Amino acid sequence: AQKVTQAQTEISVVEKEDVTLDCVYETRDTTYYLFWYKQPPSGELVFLIRRNSFDEQNEISGRYSWNFQKSTSSFNFTITASQVVDSAVYFCALRTFSGGYNKLIFGAGTRLAVHP
Amino acid sequence: TAGITQAPTSQILAAGRSMTLRCTQDMRHNAMYWYRQDLGLGLRLIHYSNTAGTTGKGEVPDGYSVSRANTDDFPLTLASAVPSQTSVYFCASSDGAGGNQPQHFGDGTRLSIL
């Protein structure tokens, strides 16, 4: 079964705190891709990062960092020194090749509220 | 840059009526997708199109139809709307159906079926 689990439904932090959003995935594919999207209150979906199954290097982009661990099937997302503008719903997604199309399986999302 | 344009932004529709949600992209992406977003369920794929002239069913295709007459447009039609189709609908596109390219999303259409 292909599945993405974001166990944290909502997280509330105070500005400048670090916060980690968890993502656990299930797939039998050996080749797959993982994504994170951000959905701010305005509603649009913004692509943040893509990671393929053969590259377990962690990635840092400014205050954002991602930790990919195949051994635990996790692709966690950390925001350092959070800001109010980080308040959004964050979706983790798994891309598999089943069915012959670019199939993105989304987690249910984690709503992050950053308070001043 | 426009990217993906969806119309209308929102709509209230009586049950039993038909409705077409429009989606246009200007990135010349081959692949396009329609998702619905429901609270607690994330986004679920309704239909997809790998290239102009072809379409396919996603996870939740029942009650919806699509067409892909050209590269830029991918309309989604509800032939006879039901209240369970109340949702936010997102159109997306990607540069290629088989690669690792991310999907880019429109701003969504909020549809309420009464």
Side-chain angles (χ1 to χ4, degrees), chain A residues 9-17 19 21 37-44 46 48 63-64 77 79-91 110-116:
Chain A
T9 305
E10 294 188 31
I11 300 175
S12 182
V13 299
V14 176
E15 212 170 13
K16 298 184 182 177
E17 283 185 32
V19 58
L21 284 62
Y37 284 86
K38 174 182 180 180
Q39 187 176 40
S42 49
E44 73 274 22
V46 179
L48 294 179
R63 296 183 297 106
Y64 294 172
F77 173 29
I79 301 175
T80 303
S82 60
Q83 300 176 1
V84 172
V85 293
D86 295 327
S87 297
V89 180
Y90 291 86
F91 291 97
T110 297
R111 181 178 298 278
L112 173 65
V114 182
H115 302 283

Side-chain angles (χ1 to χ4, degrees), chain B:
Chain B
T1 56
I4 296 179
T5 302
Q6 291 186 235
T9 304
S10 64
Q11 182 74 44
I12 298 174
L13 187 68
R17 300 293 295 269
S18 66
M19 171 84 189
T20 295
L21 308 185
R22 299 185 298 278
C23 175
T24 299
Q25 53 111 353
D26 63 1
M27 298 174 283
R28 307 302 293 172
H29 284 171
N30 288 327
M32 296 187 74
Y33 316 86
W34 274 105
Y35 292 87
R36 58 178 291 172
Q37 182 181 15
D38 302 290
L39 191 64
L41 296 175
L43 281 82
R44 294 178 293 168
L45 183 67
I46 304 170
H47 285 288
Y48 68 94
S49 168
N50 284 343
T51 188
T54 69
T55 63
K57 295 181 179 180
E59 301 172 66
V60 289
D62 294 343
Y64 306 95
S65 64
V66 291
S67 62
R68 186 89 184 277
N70 57 61
T71 297
D72 298 341
D73 301 300
F74 191 42
L76 175 74
T77 297
L78 289 68
S80 179
V82 295
S84 62
Q85 291 178 309
T86 293
S87 187
V88 180
Y89 291 86
F90 285 95
C91 179
S93 71
S94 66
D95 187 13
N100 66 345
Q101 298 305 311
Q103 294 181 15
H104 299 275
F105 288 80
D107 289 343
T109 294
R110 185 174 296 275
L111 184 62
S112 297
I113 312 297
L114 304 179

Side-chain angles (χ1 to χ4, degrees), chain A residues 18-86:
Chain A
D18 298 347
V19 58
T20 296
L21 284 62
D22 297 332
C23 173
V24 174
Y25 62 93
E26 295 176 32
T27 181
R28 291 184 177 181
D29 291 0
T30 55
T31 300
Y32 53 89
Y33 296 90
L34 295 161
F35 300 82
W36 275 95
Y37 284 86
K38 174 182 180 180
Q39 187 176 40
S42 49
E44 73 274 22
L45 280 154
V46 179
F47 164 69
L48 294 179
I49 191 173
R50 169 190 60 223
R51 173 67 66 213
N52 73 56
S53 54
F54 299 107
D55 182 3
E56 287 194 69
Q57 285 189 345
N58 292 333
E59 182 155 340
I60 298 174
S61 175
R63 296 183 297 106
Y64 294 172
S65 63
W66 290 269
N67 180 256
F68 175 35
Q69 293 195 349
K70 288 181 73 171
S71 60
T72 56
S73 296
S74 65
F75 187 43
N76 297 337
F77 173 29
T78 297
I79 301 175
T80 303
S82 60
Q83 300 176 1
V84 172
V85 293
D86 295 327

